[in-house]
């Protein structure tokens, strides 16, 4: 059976300073992300055991656990590549990401409008969650989603292309309880090249991700 593995970071622990300090990156990747990978694999084993024994008393909890851990693994895998020490600003045509810039302007009216919406969505998540920019294949537009935990409150079929982690473990050691300060600082490390590649890939797939007759 295929298992999930923890991806290596695309940079060293200190690469995102001063926005995110090395201690947070190390703990976040090596402990928290690793726990989601292990949780997903453990849940798959438990589901296999339930099938073998035809014992379904724990099915609700197991399915919820799988969604939680697998979504956590996926979002974190995107998160690391969404950031770079040479990032920030906004996507511009001169930087080779004009298609993404046009899509943001078309979907949100302006980059400023998009930035404000994603900032508010991430900073006001109740408890733990994410702010997510996603490609929605039915309309072909970009949308912002406010994700609770890792998997709740999302549009089925949408593809995340830029994610802001708003869980406390992503910022508390450095920003204490000032989540909004962390989200504001995150804009300085956004890797628009990575976001643009994810947008192009999602757009190319279009609504083929959804079932057709």
């Amino acid at each position: 059976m295929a298992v999930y593995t923890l991806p290596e970071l695309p940079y060293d622990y200190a690469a995102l300073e001063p926005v995110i300090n090395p201690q947070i990156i190390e703990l976040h990747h090596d402990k928290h992300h690793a726990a989601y990978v292990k949780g997903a694999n453990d849940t798959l084993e438990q589901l296999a055991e339930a099938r073998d024994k035809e014992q379904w008393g724990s099915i609700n909890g197991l399915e919820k656990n799988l969604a939680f851990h697998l979504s956590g693994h996926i979002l974190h895998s995107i998160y690391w590549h969404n950031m770079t020490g040479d990032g920030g600003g906004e996507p511009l045509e001169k930087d080779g990401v004009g298609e993404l810039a046009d899509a943001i302007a078309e979907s949100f009216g302006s980059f400023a409008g998009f930035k404000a919406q994603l900032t508010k969505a991430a900073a006001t998540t109740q408890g733990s969650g994410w702010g997510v920019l996603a490609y929605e294949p039915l309309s072909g537009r970009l949308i912002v989603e406010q994700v609770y935990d890792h998997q709740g409150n999302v549009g089925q079929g949408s593809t995340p292309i830029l994610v802001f982690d708003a869980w406390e473990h992503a910022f508390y050691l450095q920003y204490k309880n000032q989540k909004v300060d962390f989200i504001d600082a995150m804009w300085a490390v956004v890797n628009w090249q990575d976001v643009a590649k994810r947008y192009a890939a999602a757009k190319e797939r279009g609504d083929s991700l959804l079932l057709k007759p």
Side-chain angles (χ1 to χ4, degrees), residues 2 41 73 99 115 125-126 135 138 170 175 188 191:
N41 289 327
H73 172 41
E99 186 177 357
K115 182 178 179 180
T125 51
Q126 296 176 339
Y135 177 76
L138 289 183
Y175 293 85
N191 184 348

Side-chain angles (χ1 to χ4, degrees), residues 110-188:
S110 66
F111 177 79
F114 153 67
K115 182 178 179 180
Q117 184 176 344
L118 181 54
T119 297
K120 288 296 184 182
T124 61
T125 51
Q126 296 176 339
S128 301
W130 301 71
V132 174
L133 173 66
Y135 177 76
E136 198 290 290
L138 289 183
S139 64
R141 65 177 294 148
L142 296 173
I143 61 173
V144 164
E145 296 179 322
Q146 190 178 51
V147 180
Y148 295 113
D149 290 334
H150 300 308
Q151 78 282 11
N153 206 35
V154 300
Q156 299 299 318
S158 61
T159 302
I161 64 173
L162 173 62
V163 299
F164 280 11
D165 193 342
W167 282 64
E168 285 191 346
H169 64 239
F171 64 86
Y172 198 86
L173 287 177
Q174 185 173 354
Y175 293 85
K176 307 306 179 189
N177 63 336
Q178 299 303 311
K179 182 190 295 187
V180 66
D181 290 345
F182 170 65
I183 300 303
D184 285 340
M186 274 288 298
W187 290 100

Side-chain angles (χ1 to χ4, degrees), residues 8-20:
E8 294 185 3
L9 287 171
Y11 36 69
D12 61 42
Y13 295 138
L16 303 178
E17 285 195 296
V19 174
I20 309 178

Side-chain angles (χ1 to χ4, degrees), residues 193-207:
Q193 297 293 329
D194 180 71
V195 179
K197 290 177 182 177
R198 294 179 187 280
Y199 170 66
K203 186 178 180 182
E204 182 178 356
R205 289 194 299 267
D207 63 359

